[in-house]
Amino acid sequence: MRFIVQGYPAYAYTGGRPFDPKARALVFIHGSSNDHSTWQWQSRYFAHHGFTVLAPDLPAHGRSPGTARTSVPAMADWVAELIVAAGVSDAAVVGHSLGALVALDLALRHRVRVRSLVLIGASVPMPVGEPFLAAARDDAPEAFDMATNWSHARHVELQVSPVPGISLVGASRRLNGRTAPGVQHADLNACNTYSPDPAALLALDLPVLVVSGTRDRMTPPENGRALANAIPGARFASIPGAGHTPMSEAPRETLAALRGFLG
């Protein structure tokens, strides 16, 4: 489904069912160099179980054209306008990695648009190493290799895939490799420079769940727990054995965590 957001078409996957602005809305926000497909299992479930779903491609990602936004607040502003363009007043918002920072900033600066918040693979701050940034700045293939490697638990390629017929590492590398020039660096730099006011986190007044994989090498679970502790009333859940991308490494367990929180 397409909307006009900030003057450009914006694509959003709706989980296999038509979007209904009268139903409870649920928005999924993808991470760096990714697109809506990272939510394919969770978005389809909720679209068929009590929610109307939007899993957008951020500008310059996937099927959404336009210029890549270079900061987390700029991406959050875009998502806020997407929610309005979709004809809903607010939504439960689920974000992963960069998408988690976007979801958090959306709640901090566009509170009226967010009903509840789930942050997966999140850390505040979310520093990115200079070698990774430099490789992304050059659009080098090594940058996509780093993203693929660190997005999964160590030696995940030796394990049985939880999704029959799909290589998690292979699918992730292909998805990262489709990223347009300059976009991965813009995404990573946005993560690296985002620094919300701790006092603003303390003032958040909505239900929040932070989810971490116990084998996350990019945003270790202790960082996720620290973020949950920084937000009054926030809950923390860990996904045993999963790395930075529990949506695909442990889709059933991730879905169970989301169901337990979102209802």
Side-chain angles (χ1 to χ4, degrees), residues 2 7 36 52 59 67 87 92 108 120 140 142-143 161 235 252 261:
R2 294 188 184 276
H36 68 277
T52 193
T67 303
L108 290 172
I120 300 176
E142 288 79 4
S161 172
R235 294 160 54 183
R252 295 172 183 80
F261 179 72

Side-chain angles (χ1 to χ4, degrees), residues 8-261:
Y8 276 81
Y11 175 81
Y13 177 62
T14 59
R17 297 195 66 181
F19 184 77
D20 178 5
K22 297 179 181 178
R24 287 189 300 168
L26 177 56
V27 175
F28 290 95
I29 307 174
H30 63 75
S32 171
S33 305
N34 286 175
D35 64 19
H36 68 277
S37 64
T38 58
W39 301 108
Q40 57 185 306
W41 295 287
Q42 293 81 23
S43 60
R44 285 190 63 85
Y45 175 86
F46 283 105
H48 290 80
H49 293 83
F51 286 86
T52 193
V53 167
L54 292 175
D57 291 342
L58 292 171
H61 296 72
R63 301 181 186 179
S64 289
T67 303
R69 303 315 190 249
T70 57
S71 71
V72 167
M75 297 178 200
D77 290 344
W78 185 90
V79 175
E81 293 195 30
L82 170 73
I83 291 172
V84 173
V88 296
S89 58
D90 62 11
V93 180
V94 181
H96 169 241
S97 193
L98 167 64
L101 298 184
V102 174
L104 177 61
D105 195 73
L106 181 70
L108 290 172
R109 295 189 307 107
H110 300 276
R111 173 65 183 85
V112 69
R113 301 297 173 208
V114 183
R115 189 170 59 252
S116 58
L117 194 61
V118 181
L119 310 173
I120 300 176
S123 174
V124 175
M126 192 180 288
V128 180
E130 181 54 33
F132 194 7
L133 283 170
R137 189 180 300 118
D138 293 340
D139 291 313
E142 288 79 4
F144 302 126
D145 294 338
M146 293 181 204
T148 301
N149 183 34
W150 294 334
S151 290
H152 298 86
R154 192 181 302 277
H155 303 315
V156 70
E157 67 275 14
L158 302 179
Q159 301 174 8
V160 175
S161 172
V163 186
I166 292 180
S167 163
L168 294 183
V169 173
S172 177
R173 180 61 178 81
R174 289 292 298 271
L175 178 60
N176 276 279
R178 291 205 302 260
T179 306
V183 173
Q184 187 187 40
H185 180 260
D187 288 351
L188 296 176
N189 196 53
C191 292
N192 192 48
T193 57
Y194 183 61
S195 180
D197 182 355
L201 296 180
L202 283 172
L204 270 179
D205 61 346
L206 73 171
V208 178
L209 173 67
V210 180
V211 179
S212 294
T214 59
R215 298 174 64 195
D216 188 339
R217 293 182 288 163
M218 197 172 286
T219 52
E222 54 267 30
N223 292 22
R225 187 178 294 279
L227 176 57
N229 289 339
I231 301 172
R235 294 160 54 183
F236 177 78
S238 61
I239 306 294
H244 187 60
T245 315
M247 304 90 70
S248 56
E249 294 180 270
R252 295 172 183 80
E253 292 81 359
T254 302
L255 178 60
L258 293 175
R259 287 178 57 191
F261 179 72

